[in-house]
Amino acid sequence: MKRRPLIAGNWKMHTTTVEARELATAIAVICAGLDDRDVLLSPPYTVLRDVAECVSRTGIIVAAQNVCWEEKGAYTGEISPIMVRAAGGSAAIVGHSERRQIFLETDELVNRRLTGALASGLMVILCIGETLAEREGGDTFAVLERQVRKGLAGIGGEAMVGVVIAYEPVWAIGTGKTASKEQAQEVHAFIRSLLAAIYGKNIADQTRILYGGSVKPANIDELMAQPDIDGALVGGAALDAQSFGRIITFR
Ligand code: PEP
């Protein structure tokens, strides 16, 4: 089953307005003419509109790094799906490990975010991943199954067209340690079989599963050659147009 590759850049808490516009513009130039893959940029909220402007009419998707489930209200510090859309975004990341680990977001909270975002028409990247202790304790698959089942609770098969899963082993994020292509493929195949058990084979075959965790120009090609790896969620290397450009143009 051929799935359209998706390369996503998570800028985390980086870039002021000038930096964001420069980076987005440089990436837009690299993407010109690339029509067999999707590219997504996820800048901080404060520059969402700037980035959307810089990449308008390029097909590059602009995503928020998190999103609230409500449209508006007393939720200090949160941003709603309609605000993301009004700023030019069409997608959101939820459940990133930094949100889970540093800000103590639970599977239930992640599920509320995902449900609200999908309901308002945003594409959602649901991040899942085990910690080093969980991997070493032999709990990787159990943790991922819990994160998938709870993260997608209440989401019907028809809504899965708007969902992308990102497998990001926590021990590989920002550490320079990448999961080997075999380790990543093993987990991606597991996630796809889990999706098949929940939603059936067709939906599992259509759902894109990204790998994230120290993806670099040097390892993107071998990762993308794996049958169940449909793209990458890139942190550090997404902040440099040349590196990200090489990742986008994987072979
Ligand atoms: C991420 O932010 O999701 C990520 C995978 O970061 P890095 O590529 O820096 O490991």
Side-chain angles (χ1 to χ4, degrees), residues 111-209:
N111 174 252
R112 288 179 85 178
R113 294 187 183 283
L114 177 138
T115 305
L118 281 180
S120 77
L122 294 179
M123 180 180 113
V124 181
I125 299 180
L126 169 62
C127 300
I128 59 172
E130 81 286 3
T131 63
L132 187 59
E134 288 163 343
R135 176 161 279 263
E136 289 178 346
D139 296 329
T140 299
F141 293 143
V143 167
L144 296 174
E145 176 159 3
R146 188 202 73 223
Q147 291 175 337
V148 168
R149 287 193 184 274
K150 290 195 169 182
L152 295 176
I155 303 302
E158 67 294 340
M160 284 301 288
V161 66
V163 176
V164 173
I165 309 276
Y167 168 57
E168 300 205 297
V170 178
W171 48 271
I173 297 182
T175 59
K177 281 189 212 153
T178 321
S180 69
K181 58 186 192 304
E182 293 83 8
Q183 276 174 325
Q185 167 57 28
E186 181 191 28
V187 170
H188 281 232
F190 167 77
I191 296 166
R192 200 171 308 285
S193 68
L194 179 59
L195 292 175
I198 303 171
Y199 293 109
K201 186 171 182 319
N202 278 355
I203 287 171
D205 280 346
Q206 283 158 21
T207 304
R208 290 183 287 191
I209 306 175

Side-chain angles (χ1 to χ4, degrees), residues 12-33:
K12 309 194 187 193
M13 198 171 73
H14 294 283
T15 69
T16 57
T17 308
V18 173
E19 292 164 344
R21 294 189 76 98
E22 229 175 74
L23 182 55
T25 304
I27 292 166
V29 170
I30 294 164
C31 289

Side-chain angles (χ1 to χ4, degrees), residues 49-111:
R49 177 181 294 284
D50 293 275
V51 170
E53 258 175 42
C54 293
V55 303
S56 66
R57 290 182 293 277
T58 63
I60 295 176
I61 301 161
V62 178
Q65 293 175 16
N66 205 357
V67 69
C68 191
W69 51 91
E70 294 288 348
E71 287 196 348
K72 58 182 168 182
Y75 297 91
T76 303
E78 293 285 326
I79 299 285
S80 80
I82 55 169
M83 291 170 177
V84 172
R85 292 170 66 91
S90 60
I93 297 172
V94 301
H96 191 279
S97 70
E98 286 149 19
R99 299 301 317 174
R100 295 180 190 260
Q101 305 253 308
I102 305 170
F103 301 99
L104 308 182
E105 295 202 7
T106 60
D107 287 317
E108 289 71 20
L109 188 67
V110 171
N111 174 252

Side-chain angles (χ1 to χ4, degrees), residues 2-9 27 30-42 55 58-63 90-91 123 125 161-164 206-210 220 224 230-234 244-245 247-250:
K2 187 114 179 67
R3 290 169 290 271
R4 190 173 163 83
L6 167 62
I7 303 292
I27 292 166
I30 294 164
C31 289
L34 271 183
D35 52 13
D36 62 346
R37 58 201 68 190
D38 290 330
V39 175
L40 176 150
L41 300 179
S42 192
V55 303
T58 63
I60 295 176
I61 301 161
V62 178
S90 60
M123 180 180 113
I125 299 180
V161 66
V163 176
V164 173
Q206 283 158 21
T207 304
R208 290 183 287 191
I209 306 175
L210 315 182
I220 186 66
M224 290 307 295
D230 307 314
L233 179 52
V234 186
F244 193 59
I247 293 170
I248 294 167
T249 53
F250 69 87

